[in-house]
Every structure is written in C-alpha cells, then in structure tokens.
Amino acid sequence: MSAPLHDLGEQAAALPPGLRQRIELRWTEATKVFSARGLDRYAGGAVALQGLGRGDAVVEAWIDAAPQVAREVGEDAVAELASAALRLASKTSGAVIERVLATAPTAARRLADAALFLQYLQFLSTLAAQAPRGLRPMLGRLDTLLGQLSLGGLRRWAQWGVQAHRTQPEELTAYFDLQSRESLAMLQQERKGTLLVDVQRRIQMYLRALWGRDFYLRPTAADFERREGARPFIEDGIIHLPDAYDAVEGPAGTVAAAELYRAAAAHAAAHLVFTRQPISAEGLTPWQMALIGVVEDARVETLALARFPGLRPLWARLHTATPTAEPTARDWLDRLARALIDPDHADDHPWIALGRALWADAQPRILAQPYDNTVSWNIGVALAHDYRALAQGPEFRPRADEPAVVYRDDNRDFWAFAGWDAEQAATMAGGAPRQVRKHVSVMAFVNELDVETAGDDAQEVWVLGTELFPYEDLGVSYNDSEGREPVLPPVHYGEWDHQIQLERPAWVTLQERRAATGDPAVIDGILLEHRRLIARMKRILEAIQPQGVQRIRPLEDGDDIDLDAALLSLTDLRLGRMPDPRIMMRHVRKTRDLAVLVLLDLSQSTNDPVAGQTQTVLELTRAACALLADAIQKVGDPFAIHGFCSDGRHDVHYWRFKDFEQPYDDLAKARLAGMQGQLSTRMGAAIRHATAALACRPERRRLLLVVTDGEPADVDVRDPSYLRQDARKAVEAAARQGVQTFCLSLDPRADDYVSRIFGGRHYRVIDRVERLPETLPMLYAALTR
C-alpha cells in the first residue's frame, strides 16, 4: 500500500503551497517506484533544495525528475542525485542545477545502470570544478551526446574541451554546445559504433530464446583510460558487458558491434549454465591458470554448440590468431583458442596438435558430464607442462599477455581462491614463517617453555602478563629481550586529486617495514673521514646548546633579591641619591623545546652516482645523516630519522632508522648503514605519516626536514602535477598540526616545483650534491638557532 502524502508530516508541510501542490500531483507516480523510505527521501530532497534559496524551478525539476530516475536506475541513485545537486550549489548557479536535475532522467535512461549513473554525477561535479561555463551547454546537448558516446567517451570528449579552451570562455561555450569544428571532430573520434543500452533488450530476449531463462545484463564503463573498453566479466550471476562496442575485423570480414554483443552475451550465458562449481586455483601458476581458462572457455562453448550449432559461425569469425615469426605467450593462447573452436583452421605446430589431441580425447567425457570442469584443469596443466619442450615460447606476463579474443570474459567467476595464509605464502616463497606472539601466564612460561632464548627465527614468542627478570643485575626482562619486534599494521591515508579538487579517502596504503641492518663501523668511518668538518661545527653547536639555568637581572619584579644591586641601592640611599629600584632577579631555565624528524627519499634514483664523483646519492645521504645525527646528539634535541619509497598507491614503504625514544647507538648506526634505494617517490603519504609521528611529540616546536633528490613520482601516476599537488596538500596539513616542514632538494631543476610544494622560504636546492654532508648539519643549525 502506498503512503499518503500527509503521513510525511512536517517535511511536506515545510514546502510552499505551489511546490506542495506540484508534489501532490506527482505523488501517485512516486508511490509506484519509491519505498516508504524512498518517499521520505523524495520529500526531504525537495525541502533541502528549497532551502538553498535558488528558486522554485530547482525544486520543481527535482519533483519531476526524481521518480523517473528511480524507475530507471533505482531509488538509491535518487539520494545520490540530491546530494550531487546540493554539492553543486557551491560551484554553479541555480539555473545549471535545474538543468542537471531536468536532464537526470535522460542520463539514467541512456546509462541504464546505477553504478554508471553515479559515475556520471561524479563527472558533473568534476566538470563544474574545472569548467563551470561548459556545464550548461553540455546539458542542453546531453541526449545527443549520450546517444553517440559511452560514459568514458563523454568524459574524454569533455576533458579535451577543458584542456583546450580553459582560458577561452567563448570557445569553451561553443565547444560544449557542439558549435565548433573541434567539438564535432572529437565527438566523431570518441563515437562508438553501438551502445549497449540500444541493444540490451534484444540481447536479453535472444538469451531467453536460447536457454529459456532470464539473464541479467549490466553495462560497465571502464574505458575512460583505455579506449578499447573493458573485457566482459561475470560477477554475482550478472553479466557485465562494455557500455559500447565498435565493429571489429574478423578473418571473414567485418563483424558488427551488435553481433559482437550477441557473441559476448552467448558466451557468458554458457558459463552461467554449464559452470556449476568453481575451479580451484590452489597451487597453480599464472600460466597454468591462463591455459585452463582457455580450455574452460572451449568446454562451455562446445556444450552450447551441441544444443545450438548455429553459434559456431558467430564465435569462430571472431578468432583471428595465426602463426607468427616470434610469437608471444598471448599469441600461443589465441592460437590454442582458435584451434579448439574451429576444427577447419590449419595450425600444425606440435604444441597446438597436442592440445587438439587432448581435446579430442576428452570430447566424450565433456558431452557425457556437462557440469564436470576437471577436464579443463587436466588439459590446461598438461599443456603448461609441455609448453617449454614443444612451443619453446617466452615467459607468460599476466598483464601484458591477456587473450585477444574480444568476446570472451576474463574468467574471474569460475576461479576459487583459498583463504590467504601469510605464513604459508612466505614459506612457499622461500622466506621465514611468520612469527606468532602469544600472551601466557608465568606458570605456563615456567612449566611449558622449550627454549628460553627465542631469536629472530623463532616460530613462537611468548609474552608474559607480568615482567620476569632472569638476571636482576641486568635489569632486562624476558619480554624486552626475546623475539622480533612485531610489524605494525598498514596505515591508510587520503590523497588529494587536483583534477576533481577533492581528497580521495583512504586512497594510499603505507606499510612500515623493519629496517635492514649493516655494519655500524661504516658510520664510525664516516665520522672519522669528516673530523675536520666536525671540528669546524663545534663552535656553532656550542652556541645553540641549551645553557641550563640563567639569572636575569636587574629587574623590578623577580623571584629573588639581587644582593649586589640591593647594596648599591642602599649606598645611593645613604648618600642622598635616587636609588635604582631594580634590585630583583629571576632564574630562567634556558632549554630547547624542539623535536626534529629527518625524512629521507630512498627511491631508486638515489643509487645513481653523482656527476663527476664516484659516490652515489645514497652514500652521500647516509654520510649527511651520520653527521647530522652526531650534531643533534651533541645539542640534545630529540630527533628521528625515517625513510620512504613507494611501489604504487597500495604499497608505500616506510622505515624508522632511528626513532625519538630510541638511543643513537650501534643499532641505529647499523640501520643507517643498511639503508637501500629502490622503487619510486610518493611523497605526500610519507609526509602525512611523518607528520602523525611528530604531532604526538610534546615539544612546542616540531620540524620535519625532507631530503629528496627529485620530484614526487610513482609507477601508477601519469600526470606529473598529481603527486606535486598532493604533496603540497600534505605540507599544508602538517602546518595546521603545528609541524614546520623544510625541503632540502638535490635536484638542480627543483626550483620549478619545490617552491609550490613547500613554500617560497621553506626549501633549499643544493647545486653541488657532493657538499650534502656538510650542508645538512649547517642547515639544521640555521633552522633551529
């Protein structure tokens, strides 16, 4: 039963009479597509938009559009539409918000999927931040644009216009209104042959006619970065197909996009019908999994062809693999796939012939047991075993050697992965098993302990609830002396995306790692080598050392009487002169309330030798850290030395060579001696993690000194401005937490970017890298004087 309007109480009553009457007219339609909760959101959205004060037209557009959007993509997307409209209020005018709401049903109908509709709303928010003038004319042409472009194509078309006409308002408006030649040219370039939304109903009817059951199809828009689009995939019983396909060339001529959709849908449906149990991936290599996937694709297609022989020409004409002079692993997969689906195709290579022979022997079993996929496992493993001997092909690269058969899905649905066992994985990789820490009582420790001295290779370390001191004269308990220090869990940090002007929450994963150790004698040798520099620094360091308790005199108000000043005043008084009233003094403790954290960039580039020198940047950095640590230790400031590098946003490495509470002893020197350069430089996440460590310090002044040899960069980032902007946001966040940042750059070209990250007076560029060991301690003295 639908909810009456008066049941919403104050929400509907808060609307003006005209808007209330309009929502009453739409209420019957709304009750057919909204649940009771959705009706509440519907009326609440109207009230929230009316509260913006952008006119009744915005609210009227919401009242008319929301039920239509809910009908197309579900009521959850309607709540996101309201949120998007409210966020746009700070970026654009009420007229544009009205157009966004009025055209939302068109977008929902053309995209036909809730996830794509949410991506569309995010795209509008990004465009409003980058080029607000282009939003309104684009919305006026939205039906035309989405009738010819996929969502990825629309984003690329808009991004090109923003970059080309960012500073030209008239040209920008003409571009987004499809009034310029560049706009039409880019539209034609990004145009796809056929959109899924145009053929989806026919494909669903086609599958129902084949199998007598319904299949759920959803479009996916993963082609923003890759123009060729995403591969089909199956997830939770739903077939996901690219939202647009172009016609492709096959061995028998051009295959239309609609036929390609039909082939992809029929293949995915065959998987859903004949793959009842997933295939275990336990103990398999990527190459074995790839071959098993090809054979499993052929198995389900063979079973489908047994019922519907007319599918063979549809699938066979999309296999284009032929023998080449230097085939890759991908070529071998494609040749095997064609040989199994097309018996008329000539390929006499011994490895392909072996695959055909194994396949022919398995045909009776496949047809007799249509739901048994162990035959795919057996044939795939056998072919992988003979691959080197017969094919002598190159190594398989999982990312680069994906099969090129366009209509087949990525097979993610039929693989079963066992739960991740870190200990087993480490053991299989040749590493040591994971060390387990157990909390036990003293009695269990005394009665059941096998080995008292657990080292780094111990499988179990027992932690006592109460301290037990084996040797009282040493003052070291069992808990403090045994086992490895446990590795901290990963930490997630946000990252600023300057394209959308928003921070991506929990976007970067940082993992602290145990620092490798070297020979501490290396650090002692560095100090001996630079003894003359240490002697020159002695006077500077003595000048900035805290002087302890000092007496400040003369004062009129203080903590104690200055006897010398009091006697002089008494003498003046007896001689009839005006005495000096400043006869008091105060004891002031002169201390340095400062904590310093040195953050080292340990990327791969630090292994490069310095121009004209035999030493590498890493060796000079190690020498500078050794001299700096010696200087700070003499002054007495609490300090820490950390390092970082990165391998994409999911794996930022972080090391603590010397922490605040740790003494600067042989262990710290060994860690400095063992530092290595590797991977890339994702600076923003490392600065945030170092800031978190400094923010916990009780000192009034906290200094973060970043030493780097290049600009921020990483393997998964193409835009050079992306990580620069993120590092700048990390520096600004550090300043808000009371942490002062300063960058010492070894890159002679750093003036182009380092000032925009750290500020005009918070960086220094060293033109001669070989002078780093003497520059870093002097810089510390200047910053902390």
Side-chain angles (χ1 to χ4, degrees):
M1 180 180 293
S2 62
L5 181 60
H6 60 75
D7 284 351
L8 296 176
E10 296 181 359
Q11 286 206 72
L15 294 173
L19 295 177
R20 180 180 173 85
Q21 182 179 5
R22 193 178 188 95
I23 200 172
E24 287 176 350
L25 293 175
R26 292 287 185 182
W27 195 251
T28 302
E29 179 186 357
T31 56
K32 297 178 181 179
V33 294
F34 285 113
S35 64
R37 184 181 180 186
L39 290 171
D40 186 61
R41 289 178 175 177
Y42 177 45
V47 174
L49 292 171
Q50 197 270 335
L52 290 177
R54 298 299 181 92
D56 291 348
V58 173
V59 187
E60 292 173 356
W62 163 261
I63 294 172
D64 294 341
Q68 302 178 55
V69 173
R71 183 184 300 108
E72 298 291 343
V73 292
E75 65 178 34
D76 289 339
V78 174
E80 295 295 333
L81 175 61
S83 299
L86 294 173
R87 288 195 298 267
L88 286 173
S90 62
K91 301 177 182 179
T92 187
S93 64
V96 174
I97 299 175
E98 178 193 354
R99 293 300 304 160
V100 169
L101 295 173
T103 56
T106 299
R109 185 178 65 255
R110 296 300 307 178
L111 298 174
D113 181 71
L116 292 185
F117 185 74
L118 297 185
Q119 294 182 35
Y120 165 75
L121 295 179
Q122 294 172 1
F123 159 68
L124 293 184
S125 179
T126 303
L127 185 60
Q130 294 178 339
R133 288 179 176 269
L135 193 56
R136 186 171 183 176
M138 186 199 73
L139 293 172
R141 302 283 187 173
L142 189 63
D143 195 18
T144 301
L145 291 170
L146 289 181
Q148 302 182 46
L149 303 178
S150 65
L151 180 57
L154 178 65
R155 287 188 289 188
R156 287 192 298 269
W157 173 83
Q159 193 65 34
W160 193 95
V162 171
Q163 294 176 356
H165 304 298
R166 187 188 298 271
T167 59
Q168 302 168 322
E170 295 182 358
E171 288 80 355
L172 182 72
T173 303
Y175 180 91
F176 281 92
D177 197 26
L178 295 179
Q179 298 298 319
S180 66
R181 287 182 297 177
E182 295 90 345
S183 177
L184 296 176
M186 285 302 300
L187 178 65
Q188 186 63 32
Q189 178 178 332
E190 298 296 340
R191 182 176 180 176
K192 291 285 187 177
T194 301
L195 301 180
L196 176 61
V197 67
D198 293 329
V199 298
Q200 182 171 350
R201 183 176 177 82
R202 281 185 286 163
I203 296 297
Q204 287 177 318
M205 294 175 63
Y206 171 71
L207 295 180
R208 182 174 180 80
L210 287 177
W211 302 105
R213 52 170 284 194
D214 288 323
F215 294 87
Y216 296 98
L217 306 181
R218 279 188 182 176
T220 177
D223 63 339
F224 180 48
E225 294 293 337
R226 301 186 303 166
R227 293 175 183 271
E228 66 271 18
R231 293 181 66 187
F233 64 92
I234 303 172
E235 194 170 71
D236 298 328
I238 299 175
I239 301 173
H240 294 257
L241 299 175
D243 57 355
Y245 264 144
D246 279 328
V248 296
E249 293 296 328
T254 303
V255 180
E259 292 296 290
L260 181 56
Y261 270 123
R262 195 158 64 91
H267 176 82
H271 272 302
L272 291 175
V273 172
F274 294 113
T275 304
R276 299 285 180 88
Q277 295 293 331
I279 298 176
S280 174
E282 185 175 357
L284 295 176
T285 66
W287 177 236
Q288 290 173 329
M289 293 175 63
L291 287 171
I292 293 172
V294 171
V295 179
E296 176 67 8
D297 288 335
R299 187 186 73 87
V300 298
E301 288 183 357
T302 297
L303 293 169
L305 291 173
R307 297 190 183 186
F308 312 108
L311 288 174
R312 186 183 299 277
L314 176 66
W315 286 330
R317 59 180 174 170
L318 291 169
H319 289 263
T320 60
T322 55
T324 58
E326 296 182 0
T328 63
R330 173 180 177 172
D331 295 331
W332 286 112
L333 291 175
D334 293 337
R335 288 172 63 180
L336 177 64
R338 185 173 186 181
L340 298 184
I341 188 67
D342 186 2
D344 298 330
H345 173 62
D347 193 334
D348 298 329
H349 191 276
W351 188 70
I352 301 297
L354 174 63
R356 277 179 161 168
L358 294 174
W359 181 248
D361 294 340
Q363 288 289 310
R365 179 181 173 183
I366 292 174
L367 297 175
Q369 302 176 8
Y371 305 116
D372 180 14
N373 53 22
T374 57
V375 63
S376 301
W377 196 97
N378 295 331
I379 295 177
V381 171
L383 289 173
H385 181 268
D386 294 326
Y387 174 66
R388 286 294 184 190
L390 296 179
Q392 299 178 354
E395 291 288 340
F396 175 67
R397 299 169 299 168
R399 294 185 179 181
D401 292 330
E402 292 183 353
V405 185
V406 293
Y407 72 89
R408 287 184 174 178
D409 58 89
D410 60 6
N411 292 335
R412 71 178 67 174
D413 186 60
F414 67 77
W415 286 113
F417 294 92
W420 173 256
D421 189 335
E423 181 175 356
Q424 181 182 3
T427 304
M428 291 178 62
R434 182 174 61 90
Q435 192 177 79
V436 179
R437 304 177 77 86
K438 292 184 178 180
H439 293 263
V440 298
S441 65
V442 175
M443 293 307 299
F445 181 85
V446 172
N447 295 329
E448 302 180 18
L449 185 67
D450 294 328
V451 180
E452 292 185 355
T453 55
D456 279 357
D457 57 347
Q459 296 180 3
E460 292 186 6
V461 174
W462 286 8
V463 182
L464 298 178
T466 57
E467 295 287 8
L468 180 63
F469 295 86
Y471 308 103
E472 295 183 359
D473 56 334
L474 297 179
V476 179
S477 68
Y478 276 113
N479 286 348
D480 293 335
S481 62
E482 309 302 346
R484 279 186 305 208
E485 176 187 359
V487 178
L488 296 177
V491 185
H492 304 284
Y493 289 101
E495 192 167 77
W496 179 260
D497 190 334
H498 71 102
Q499 292 284 354
I500 63 176
Q501 292 295 299
L502 289 174
E503 182 179 271
R504 298 180 181 272
W507 189 250
V508 179
T509 302
L510 182 144
Q511 175 68 67
E512 290 199 18
R513 285 170 163 78
R514 190 176 292 107
T517 55
D519 187 0
V522 174
I523 304 302
D524 295 332
I526 292 173
L527 298 179
L528 182 62
E529 179 184 355
H530 294 85
R531 57 186 181 276
R532 293 184 179 179
L533 174 61
I534 295 175
R536 293 202 311 267
M537 293 170 52
K538 183 177 180 181
R539 181 174 301 176
I540 298 176
L541 297 177
E542 289 176 349
I544 65 176
Q545 281 180 342
Q547 302 301 318
V549 178
Q550 292 184 347
R551 295 172 181 172
I552 300 179
R553 62 176 105 184
L555 299 173
E556 293 187 9
D557 184 19
D559 302 327
D560 202 356
I561 296 177
D562 185 354
L563 294 179
D564 293 337
L567 289 174
L568 288 176
S569 297
L570 183 59
T571 302
D572 291 339
L573 186 62
R574 289 185 176 182
L575 293 175
R577 294 196 295 259
M578 178 65 68
D580 189 346
R582 298 175 297 173
I583 62 172
M584 304 296 290
M585 64 180 179
R586 182 178 296 123
H587 296 87
V588 178
R589 184 177 181 85
K590 290 291 186 179
T591 60
R592 286 168 59 86
D593 197 13
L594 170 72
V596 181
L597 193 154
V598 183
L599 184 61
L600 305 176
D601 168 14
L602 298 178
S603 58
Q604 180 65 35
S605 57
T606 58
N607 295 321
D608 298 336
V610 179
Q613 301 287 326
T614 58
Q615 289 181 303
T616 64
V617 175
L618 180 64
E619 292 172 342
L620 290 173
T621 302
R622 183 185 294 112
C625 286
L627 295 174
L628 178 64
D630 183 72
I632 300 178
Q633 187 181 31
K634 291 179 179 177
V635 175
D637 293 334
F639 71 101
I641 301 177
H642 297 175
F644 75 95
C645 67
S646 64
D647 187 19
R649 69 181 180 93
H650 295 296
D651 193 11
V652 178
H653 301 210
Y654 197 90
W655 296 276
R656 297 178 183 245
F657 302 108
K658 193 270 178 193
D659 223 342
F660 291 105
E661 64 276 3
Q662 297 172 347
Y664 183 59
D665 53 10
D666 286 344
L667 178 58
K669 293 179 181 179
R671 289 171 177 169
L672 288 178
M675 67 171 58
Q676 299 176 355
Q678 55 185 329
L679 305 176
S680 302
T681 312
R682 206 175 198 100
M683 188 179 294
I687 290 178
R688 291 182 177 92
H689 196 64
T691 300
L694 270 173
C696 299
R697 298 296 304 172
E699 287 78 14
R700 179 180 57 86
R701 187 180 176 196
R702 291 161 288 188
L703 173 64
L704 174 60
L705 183 56
V706 182
V707 182
T708 179
D709 69 328
E711 63 179 315
D714 212 342
V715 294
D716 58 350
V717 177
R718 300 178 183 176
D719 183 1
S721 299
Y722 178 85
L723 290 180
R724 294 182 190 176
Q725 296 289 341
D726 174 64
R728 180 175 66 85
K729 286 294 181 179
V731 170
E732 293 175 355
R736 290 193 295 270
Q737 298 184 55
V739 176
Q740 175 191 357
T741 57
F742 193 94
C743 178
L744 185 62
S745 178
L746 313 180
D747 182 5
R749 300 181 301 275
D751 296 283
D752 298 335
Y753 60 84
V754 71
S755 62
R756 293 195 292 270
I757 297 176
F758 293 92
R761 296 187 299 174
H762 294 86
Y763 76 95
R764 182 175 175 183
V765 178
I766 300 181
D767 295 327
R768 297 177 59 188
V769 182
E770 63 272 14
R771 298 186 59 185
L772 176 63
E774 64 178 281
T775 302
L776 187 56
M778 295 296 185
L779 177 64
Y780 156 75
L783 291 174
T784 62
R785 187 180 298 274

